[in-house]
Amino acid sequence: MTEENIYLKRFLDPIKLCRRYKPKFGLGNREEGLDLAGFLSIYGADPFYSWIGLDSDLMYAAHKAAGGMTSVYRQIGKGCENLFRQIIIDRAGYEDPKYAMWSYVTKTKNDKDKTLSLDARL
């Protein structure tokens, strides 16, 4: 694989994840999002939402587009980070990608662990 193809792959691979994006509808990040059938089932079972017409294909499409756009921007950021790190690895001549990575764990205000990392390290 050429260097250019490696760089392109590092950038595009995260963005390709967006193809499988499904809206979460309050399920949280640990759950897989809902497909159209799941959405129609939940919104159709709600008397108010179904009465005003929110249990529709178009409403699902709007949620998928809105969340999908957020996901695309997030994945572009990850792709840029991957690309930048690969350039550092190549230019510095690192034999192992771990030499270009650095992170540490700290606590949040809610006393949960949070990992902070650099895009790359020389």
Side-chain angles (χ1 to χ4, degrees), residues 95-114:
E95 293 178 17
D96 190 328
K98 72 180 180 186
Y99 297 126
M101 301 167 98
W102 183 82
S103 65
Y104 67 97
V105 177
T106 188
K107 294 283 187 187
T108 66
K109 292 178 184 177
N110 299 329
D111 201 39
K112 293 185 180 183
D113 287 342
K114 179 180 181 178

Side-chain angles (χ1 to χ4, degrees), residues 10 79-89 119-121:
R10 292 280 188 238
C80 288
E81 178 182 337
N82 293 345
L83 173 60
F84 179 70
R85 186 177 300 117
Q86 188 63 51
I87 291 168
I88 294 295
I89 290 167
D119 289 349
R121 173 181 76 157

Side-chain angles (χ1 to χ4, degrees), residues 11 14-15 18 69-82:
F11 178 71
I15 299 168
C18 296
M69 286 305 298
T70 300
S71 183
V72 165
Y73 289 121
R74 185 177 298 117
Q75 298 309 321
I76 287 171
K78 286 181 182 179
C80 288
E81 178 182 337
N82 293 345

Side-chain angles (χ1 to χ4, degrees), residues 25-39:
F25 296 102
L27 296 175
N29 288 331
R30 294 174 199 247
E31 299 287 331
E32 183 177 335
L34 292 176
D35 61 8
L36 176 59
F39 169 80

Side-chain angles (χ1 to χ4, degrees), residues 2-47:
T2 67
E3 188 175 81
E4 183 177 325
N5 286 341
I6 291 171
Y7 291 164
L8 187 60
K9 181 175 175 26
R10 292 280 188 238
F11 178 71
L12 292 178
D13 279 354
I15 299 168
K16 290 177 183 177
L17 296 174
C18 296
R19 291 184 206 160
R20 298 188 304 267
Y21 173 78
K22 294 178 190 170
K24 303 285 189 202
F25 296 102
L27 296 175
N29 288 331
R30 294 174 199 247
E31 299 287 331
E32 183 177 335
L34 292 176
D35 61 8
L36 176 59
F39 169 80
L40 292 174
S41 174
I42 289 173
Y43 273 48
D46 184 286

